[in-house]
Amino acid sequence: MSILATVHHHRELPDTPYNLWMRDELANVLDLPHDGTRVEIVGGEIIVSPGPDMAHNFIVQDVADAFAAARAADASYPWRCVATQDLNLSEVHDGYIPDLCVLDRTTAAEGRRAQLRKALPDHLELALEVTSPSTVAEDRLPGKKRVRPTKWNGYARVGIPFYLLVDRDPREARTTLFSSPDTASGDYMEAVSWEFGEAIKLPEPFGLEITTDEWEPWQRGQG
């Protein structure tokens, strides 16, 4: 995502941000344009950002393409991807829009038939986020001065087994796979990282390799 805007309201909302988000009313209440602008609830706070840039989108596409290629090579490969799917984290009253959700084919088929608008954490095996300058703090592990939880905490709190974070910060330029979520603490207990240019090797149950030769950090001066 490209820009982070924490929305501070001087007028009273007609309901809680989470309830408005669940009813797909929050964007209208905030008078947001219908131009791809995203609105999420992270750590109980409203986060608004416009659609991401092309480099961001192609990274997401590269990950989705790797899963699609595995499925094309083996019809029994069980994993499916869906981009920018609303995710209801009801346990913490947050609502995210992951860059990519990975779920098994049975769950995907059921959600498709039911025309679900909000996925649930139990539906996902992996969530992907790609950072940008103004949203990176929402995606990473919380810093020492951070007061409210980040998406890293939220995904762990609701027990999503794997969180894949592509950090485009020029000072980082790496991808990290977090696993073994501790739902009590909201922490992922294990992590493995790859520098940009190195092939990402997702372990079982995915058994997938993702090339990152064309992945680039954002331009210096943006952050």
Side-chain angles (χ1 to χ4, degrees), residues 77 79 125 162 177 201-208:
Y77 191 72
W79 303 108
E125 188 72 15
F162 296 94
L177 179 69
K201 296 181 180 179
L202 296 184
E204 295 300 332
F206 308 110
L208 188 67

Side-chain angles (χ1 to χ4, degrees), residues 19 130 139 173:
N19 287 342
V130 180
D139 297 330

Side-chain angles (χ1 to χ4, degrees), residues 72-116:
D74 179 1
S76 67
Y77 191 72
W79 303 108
R80 302 292 185 269
C81 298
V82 60
T84 60
Q85 169 66 53
D86 284 5
L87 177 65
N88 172 22
L89 288 76
S90 58
E91 293 179 40
V92 294
H93 279 205
D94 273 3
Y96 302 166
I97 308 175
D99 286 314
L100 198 71
C101 297
V102 178
L103 53 166
D104 69 69
R105 59 185 173 190
T106 300
T107 302
E110 291 172 351
R112 187 172 187 170
R113 286 194 298 269
Q115 300 183 25
L116 289 181

Side-chain angles (χ1 to χ4, degrees), residues 26 70 75 138 145 157 172 174 177 183 187:
L26 186 56
E138 300 300 324
K145 296 182 179 180
R157 180 75 71 179
E172 297 292 332
R174 66 166 57 92
L177 179 69
T183 57
D187 299 322

Side-chain angles (χ1 to χ4, degrees), residues 50-78:
D53 64 25
M54 187 175 289
H56 176 292
N57 288 337
F58 273 120
I59 289 174
V60 177
Q61 187 65 57
D62 288 343
V63 176
D65 284 350
F67 278 92
R71 187 171 72 250
D74 179 1
S76 67
Y77 191 72

